[in-house]
Every structure is written in structure tokens, then in C-alpha cells.
Amino acid sequence: MKYPRQAALHLMVAACFAVLPVQAAAQSANDPLSVVSEQDFLNAISLLRPPLDVKKTDDGFTLTLPNGLEANAQLQNCEDRATSSNCRTLSIIVNLLKPEGKSREELLELVNQLNRRDIHGRSFLNNGDQIITRWTFFATGHESSRGLATKLVNWDAFVRGAAALIYAEQRRD
């Protein structure tokens, strides 16, 4: 198989969906999402292993990965921003911080490497030489809850891989 890691991730998501508790009003995992709710997001993010620490904030959610990295997740393009209802976009931003001893040119090369690896988001270098990744899910009615969960599993693997790439030399010391 050409992509055994992705196949394993998809199998993991499928297995998790088989045991995921279903809310009374929740839709089927195969129903298309034309909007994404907080519950859709929380159901999908709960499938990640090891699990993330998820905290509700005033402007979305803070996600803490097992390696200590934090991400900010927000539902956007909502009909009612105050209640986050009927949202069409989920965005997750991770600040990977500046690794020690890297020039701006080396950091730009790392950003280019990350952008070649990830097709669902973009990485960029801010003015403080911190690498930022932004991942976006659009609820267009062509993707199911299962698809959202699969994309979050892939996002999680990407962020963990990005951290390993960026901080690899610091860990060897």
C-alpha cells in the first residue's frame, strides 16, 4: 500500500466512530455537513489518540496536545456569532514558536517543507520568527462528520510531525 500511515489513521477513525456515543439529536456520521456545530467539533476531536486537552474559551476552544503545544480552534462564518450557530468554517491555529539557533532563512525552509506536507492548511513565518500553522475545514455539504474526524486525525498527525521536524535538533542536545 502506498500510504500505510494514512490507511491506519482512517481505520482508527472508523473504529472510533463505531464506539462514539451518539447524541439524541446528532446526525449520522455519513450525513453531509452543510454547517459545523460545537458538538460536531467536540465529537470529532474526541477521537484523537492520545487525547487532547480541550477547554472552551470566549472565542472558541484551546487545544493542548500531549507534547505541550497549544492550538486555538474557532467556529467561523456563523449566522449567529454569539451562539456559534450554523457555522460554515472551523479554523485551527497553532503557534509552533521559534526553535533555538535557527536563522530566518532556515525557518523559511522549514515552513516550505511543512507546506509541501499539508494540503489542508498553510504554515507561515510571522515577524517574530515563529512558525504558525492554520488549518481550515469548510462545511460545504460535501463532507460528512466522519470526513471531519478523518481530517482532524490527519491535522493532529501533521502538527505532531511538524513539531518533531522543527524541534528535532534541540532534542538531540
Side-chain angles (χ1 to χ4, degrees), residues 65 67-69 94-97 99 110 114 117 131 133 156-171:
L65 284 75
N67 63 7
L69 284 175
V94 180
N95 181 337
L96 294 168
L97 304 176
L110 287 172
L114 294 174
R117 288 182 181 186
I131 296 175
T133 67
D156 180 59
F158 168 75
V159 170
R160 292 173 200 244
L165 172 72
I166 291 169
Y167 304 117
E169 291 177 13
Q170 285 180 241
R171 291 187 190 156

Side-chain angles (χ1 to χ4, degrees), residues 89-164:
T89 308
L90 168 64
S91 178
I92 304 176
I93 297 175
V94 180
N95 181 337
L96 294 168
L97 304 176
K98 181 181 178 181
E100 295 175 18
K102 298 273 185 201
S103 69
R104 186 155 180 92
E105 290 74 28
E106 291 171 310
L107 294 172
L108 286 170
E109 178 53 35
L110 287 172
V111 166
N112 287 335
Q113 286 180 41
L114 294 174
N115 283 331
R116 284 190 295 269
R117 288 182 181 186
D118 184 31
I119 62 170
H120 299 291
R122 295 296 343 125
S123 297
F124 61 93
L125 192 62
N126 70 10
N127 291 337
D129 286 341
Q130 297 174 325
I131 296 175
I132 311 294
T133 67
R134 181 178 183 151
W135 176 89
T136 306
F137 173 80
F138 299 99
T140 61
H142 299 288
E143 192 78 60
S144 66
S145 295
R146 186 179 309 253
L148 171 59
T150 299
K151 286 184 177 178
L152 281 170
V153 167
N154 290 334
W155 166 81
D156 180 59
F158 168 75
V159 170
R160 292 173 200 244

Side-chain angles (χ1 to χ4, degrees), residues 45-54 64-67 156 160:
I45 205 80
S46 73
L47 300 176
L48 299 180
R49 296 293 176 259
L52 307 185
D53 180 34
V54 180
T64 305
L65 284 75
N67 63 7
D156 180 59
R160 292 173 200 244

Side-chain angles (χ1 to χ4, degrees), residues 5 16-17 20 32 34 36 39 44 55 57 59 73 84 108 112 146 149-150 155 162-163 168 171:
R5 188 173 183 190
C16 289
F17 260 109
L20 186 68
S34 57
V36 62
Q39 195 59 53
K55 290 188 173 76
T57 64
D59 64 344
S84 294
L108 286 170
N112 287 335
R146 186 179 309 253
T150 299
W155 166 81
R171 291 187 190 156

